[in-house]
Amino acid sequence: QCVFGGIPVGKQARALVPGCDILVATPGRLLDLIDQRALTLRHVEIFVLDEADQMMDLGFIVPLKRVANLLPKDRQSLFFSATMPKAIADLGKQFISNPVRVEVTPQASTAERVEQWVTFINQSEKQALLTLRLKAGLAESEGPNAIDRALVFTRTKHGADRVVRHLASAGVNAAAIHGNKSQAQRTAALLGFRKGSIPVLVATDIAARGIDVTGVSHVFNYELPNVPEQYVHRIGRTARAGADGIALSFCAPDEKPYLRDIERLTGVKLDPMPLPENFQQDAARLPLPVRKPAEAEQDARREARDARGRGGPAARGGPGGRSGGGRNNNVSRGGQARDGKSRDAHARETYRGERPAAPQRGPVFNPLGNEARGAVEATRPASTRPASDRPRGDRPQGERRPQGDRPYGDRP
């Protein structure tokens, strides 16, 4: 059986009633089923953790600890990964004892049948280059540049959606898969990619680990990963089962440090690939995607935010950057003011010159001033005065009289 999130848990629980020999599960859904008493791990003999480095690096360490505590101590544990940084390996030692390390190939090595290329290009021209490469490759049925299925990797989720919009406007059938997509959308995108009806799939690094599709001829690194181990997993989606593959990376000027880290990790020098002939003219003829004004404004904000993260002009206070010498003015003023409005609302009204005048406050009570205290007490309603200060006639009906004020002769 295979259980994972995004679909009703009841159907999966009913499928587990007869029991099973092999269970493939994600940590969250596995714990959900355990909490509902739909399964037990008391009889597990072999515990397999695939993509172990990513599982322990993405915050799954707490669920994994809980799962490990539910497993019998007399078991076999197998951890698999193409890369295993030392810090993550040390973290995984708490789940295994006296482990035996088996390496089929040297760690972080890339497949020998993958041709690795890099094109140096500005960030703003990457979309046009990707579109032209894909259109030319999909138009060819045979030859070294022919594309059967292509995977495009971006660093962000909104970047993947933006790439799909540009490809769709140019007539390239593409779909995106990332964490913001529902399970049904991800399943449909992968199914179309496997069948060939969707020749281009745009994904993020998180999705790179779970894509196992045969026939992927090309992998495009639209943005270089800032973690060099991710590059190994990205290009590992092609050249599977003895096939050949091509990995083409687009490197912006501010991404050259990432490229050096990748080459240092893999020990492979990427061959440079020049831009196509008449690139500027062909790029100018590409249609722009039709976007709503709200989407265009949102994309502009995201591009500015990405530029700040890459250390571009926006991060240095240049054109399009933040004012004030790089100071971040996007400050969150939490809490509420006396009138119930948030402090952000007060700040906005202050900047716009619309802040209303503060309401008039009454006299401040001074507990040390006897005259002021007497004046305040005289103006207070009788029902709000302390019981010891009220005349007996003013005491509400049904209220008990203080014990110390009751005369001795009034006792029954």
Side-chain angles (χ1 to χ4, degrees), residues 132-150:
L132 294 175
R133 293 285 190 194
L134 288 174
K135 291 188 68 174
L138 293 173
E140 296 185 15
S141 57
E142 296 180 357
N145 297 327
I147 297 177
D148 297 330
R149 292 183 182 88

Side-chain angles (χ1 to χ4, degrees), residues 3 39 43 99 133-134 138 148 157 188 200 213 223 240-241 244 265 290 301 305 360 397 400 406:
V3 295
L39 61 89
H43 305 292
R133 293 285 190 194
L134 288 174
L138 293 173
D148 297 330
K157 291 176 283 191
V200 179
V213 179
E223 293 166 323
R240 302 174 77 89
D244 296 330
L265 176 70
V290 179
R301 290 197 303 268
R305 184 176 60 196
Q360 295 294 331
Q397 185 177 3
R400 294 187 60 184
R406 180 187 300 172

Side-chain angles (χ1 to χ4, degrees), residues 360-382:
Q360 295 294 331
R361 299 181 60 185
V364 179
F365 173 69
N366 184 7
L368 301 180
N370 293 332
E371 297 180 359
R373 181 174 60 185
V376 172
E377 291 294 338
T379 58
R380 291 172 59 184

Side-chain angles (χ1 to χ4, degrees), residues 200-217:
V200 179
L201 187 65
V202 185
T204 56
D205 288 323
I206 302 300
R209 303 294 187 102
I211 299 176
D212 185 11
V213 179
T214 58
V216 177
S217 59

Side-chain angles (χ1 to χ4, degrees), residues 381-394:
S383 59
T384 61
R385 299 183 201 172
S388 59
D389 296 338
R390 289 199 303 252
R392 294 187 183 182
D394 295 341

Side-chain angles (χ1 to χ4, degrees), residues 156-157 160 176-183 185-186 203-204 206-207:
T156 60
K157 291 176 283 191
I177 178 172
H178 51 71
N180 283 356
K181 298 291 184 179
S182 65
Q183 186 61 45
Q185 291 174 324
R186 284 179 279 180
T204 56
I206 302 300

Side-chain angles (χ1 to χ4, degrees), residues 13-14 30 35-37 101 103 116 147 218 226 237 252 289 296 306 316 320 322 359 376 379 382 386-387 407:
R14 289 190 296 270
L30 178 64
D35 292 339
Q36 296 184 13
R37 300 182 182 274
R101 190 183 186 96
E103 291 187 1
Q116 303 179 52
I147 297 177
H218 289 67
N226 51 3
R237 303 305 103 187
D306 291 346
R316 297 187 292 269
R322 295 177 297 198
V376 172
T379 58

Side-chain angles (χ1 to χ4, degrees), residues 392-409:
R392 294 187 183 182
D394 295 341
R395 187 172 291 113
Q397 185 177 3
E399 180 179 339
R400 294 187 60 184
R401 186 162 33 191
Q403 187 70 22
D405 294 345
R406 180 187 300 172
Y408 184 81

